């Protein structure tokens, strides 16, 4: 592990104390949680994906409806990276914390299934998942791997095995509503927790970015671990501006063995 500044060390210790004392801690994770696994944050400038196409335009429901091939061509390298990615140290540490009873649930903005691959049981996927595709005509769901692998290799767009219509990944595009069930659950979790850890999210994408406010309004503690500052850092009990893959394992070690 790289050596961390004293302020980060103090933040780790304090966050571990909060986690130990909490009766119901939850974690909200964003793109920064998966960048150490090699998945670019497609909403960020300089990710490589942004420079070629404006994600707000190409990753939108409107583009998908009008020019699905344009959407799919943009999506192709990202799908490939997600399929090849493996959980990083932060995913594994969080799964350990959950197993030991220190984390009640994980709310995530990520679509990459890495929390589940690391062994986490209770994940609320706020921006959907790449695990499944849904038919745009008959709305049947299928597992994505058998359809997206030929797409990655040969560029063949995935079509419904039942009716032949185009399949859409079950990920939330710009201009699309969040999945209702996940959103309601995330709000319930945020209001019921006594500690929320925000990890790897810049809290820029609404409405998810508003969830920590719901926790704060009910008196919960807030810890923010992110590379850059967020709009709520001044209201957090602790904020650590470092990589989650350095900090989450360090906090976990403190909680479990410190
Ligand atoms: Zn169909």
């Amino acid at each position: 592990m790289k050596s961390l500044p004293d302020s980060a060390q103090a933040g780790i210790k304090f966050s571990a104390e909060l986690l130990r004392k909490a009766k119901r801690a939850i974690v909200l994770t964003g793109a920064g949680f998966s960048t150490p696994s090699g998945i670019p944050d497609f909403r960020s400038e300089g990710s490589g994906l942004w420079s070629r196409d404006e994600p707000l335009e190409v990753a939108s429901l409107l583009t998908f409806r009008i020019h699905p091939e344009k959407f799919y061509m943009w999506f192709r390298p990202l799908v490939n990276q997600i399929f090849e990615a493996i959980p990083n140290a932060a995913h594994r540490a969080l799964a350990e914390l959950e197993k030991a009873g220190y984390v009640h649930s994980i709310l995530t903005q990520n679509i990459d299934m890495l929390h589940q691959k690391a062994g986490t049981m209770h994940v609320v996927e706020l921006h959907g998942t790449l695990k499944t595709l849904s038919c745009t005509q008959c709305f049947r769901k299928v597992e994505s791997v058998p359809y997206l692998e030929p797409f990655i290799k040969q560029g063949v767009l995935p079509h419904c095995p039942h009716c032949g219509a185009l399949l859409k990944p079950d990920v939330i595009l710009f201009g699309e509503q969040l999945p209702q069930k996940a959103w309601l659950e995330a709000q319930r979790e945020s209001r019921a927790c006594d500690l929320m850890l925000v990890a790897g999210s810049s809290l820029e994408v609404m409405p998810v970015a508003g969830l920590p406010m719901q926790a704060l309004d009910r008196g919960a503690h807030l810890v923010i671990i992110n590379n850059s500052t967020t709009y709520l850092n001044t209201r957090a009990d602790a904020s650590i501006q470092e990589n989650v893959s350095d900090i989450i394992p360090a906090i976990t070690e403190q909680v479990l063995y410190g």
Side-chain angles (χ1 to χ4, degrees):
M1 201 179 90
K2 72 169 189 178
S3 65
L4 293 160
D6 288 350
S7 60
Q9 298 287 5
I12 288 165
K13 213 165 164 240
F14 186 57
S15 304
E17 271 172 42
L18 288 176
L19 263 168
R20 281 182 147 173
K21 284 184 198 148
K23 291 197 167 57
R24 196 177 165 115
I26 67 169
V27 185
L28 171 63
T29 69
F33 217 90
S34 292
T35 42
S37 290
I39 298 172
D41 177 1
F42 70 88
R43 289 183 172 88
S44 289
E45 274 184 83
S47 65
L49 291 163
W50 180 279
S51 49
R52 269 176 292 160
D53 282 294
E54 173 76 48
L56 278 168
E57 193 227 303
V58 78
S60 72
L61 189 60
L62 194 65
T63 299
F64 184 84
R65 284 192 179 137
I66 302 170
H67 302 294
E69 69 295 333
K70 195 176 162 194
F71 164 81
Y72 266 115
M73 286 310 121
W74 171 82
F75 203 44
R76 196 171 167 184
L78 188 62
V79 173
N80 192 28
Q81 277 161 321
I82 289 174
F83 276 15
E84 284 180 354
I86 54 169
N88 62 59
H91 290 107
R92 294 195 301 271
L94 217 49
E96 259 189 89
L97 280 178
E98 187 197 42
K99 204 173 166 195
Y102 290 100
V103 167
H104 184 262
S105 63
I106 293 172
L107 320 179
T108 188
Q109 295 171 286
N110 301 335
I111 58 166
D112 52 36
M113 307 160 278
L114 289 180
H115 286 304
Q116 292 92 331
K117 284 184 183 168
T120 298
M121 301 304 289
H122 190 188
V123 185
V124 181
E125 294 171 308
L126 286 156
H127 289 165
T129 175
L130 200 57
K131 190 175 189 293
T132 52
L133 310 171
S134 288
C135 178
T136 49
Q137 287 297 324
C138 73
F139 303 108
R140 283 188 177 94
K141 252 184 214 309
V142 295
E143 285 289 318
S144 62
V145 172
Y147 296 89
L148 291 184
E149 271 182 356
F151 164 65
I152 293 167
K153 290 196 181 96
Q154 295 131 32
V156 184
L157 297 197
H159 286 86
C160 177
H162 306 285
C163 76
L166 190 67
L167 293 166
K168 177 189 168 293
D170 287 333
V171 301
I172 303 307
L173 304 178
F174 291 102
E176 199 169 8
Q177 293 282 327
L178 297 195
Q180 184 77 354
K181 196 169 156 259
W183 176 237
L184 290 174
E185 192 180 356
Q187 290 187 90
R188 267 199 309 272
E189 288 292 315
S190 300
R191 290 168 187 164
C193 74
D194 60 356
L195 169 63
M196 182 187 275
L197 244 87
V198 173
S201 175
S202 310
L203 298 177
E204 280 166 350
V205 183
M206 289 302 275
V208 175
L211 288 171
M213 281 302 293
Q214 299 196 18
L216 282 173
D217 285 348
R218 280 159 184 78
H221 290 289
L222 178 66
V223 171
I224 300 177
I225 303 151
N226 194 49
N227 264 337
S228 57
T229 189
T230 78
Y231 83 105
L232 279 177
N233 278 42
T234 50
R235 293 200 54 189
D237 295 272
S239 57
I240 309 171
Q241 265 176 257
E242 297 285 341
N243 279 323
V244 293
S245 54
D246 293 320
I247 304 303
I248 302 287
I251 292 175
T252 303
E253 206 182 305
Q254 278 276 327
V255 171
L256 299 180
Y257 316 108

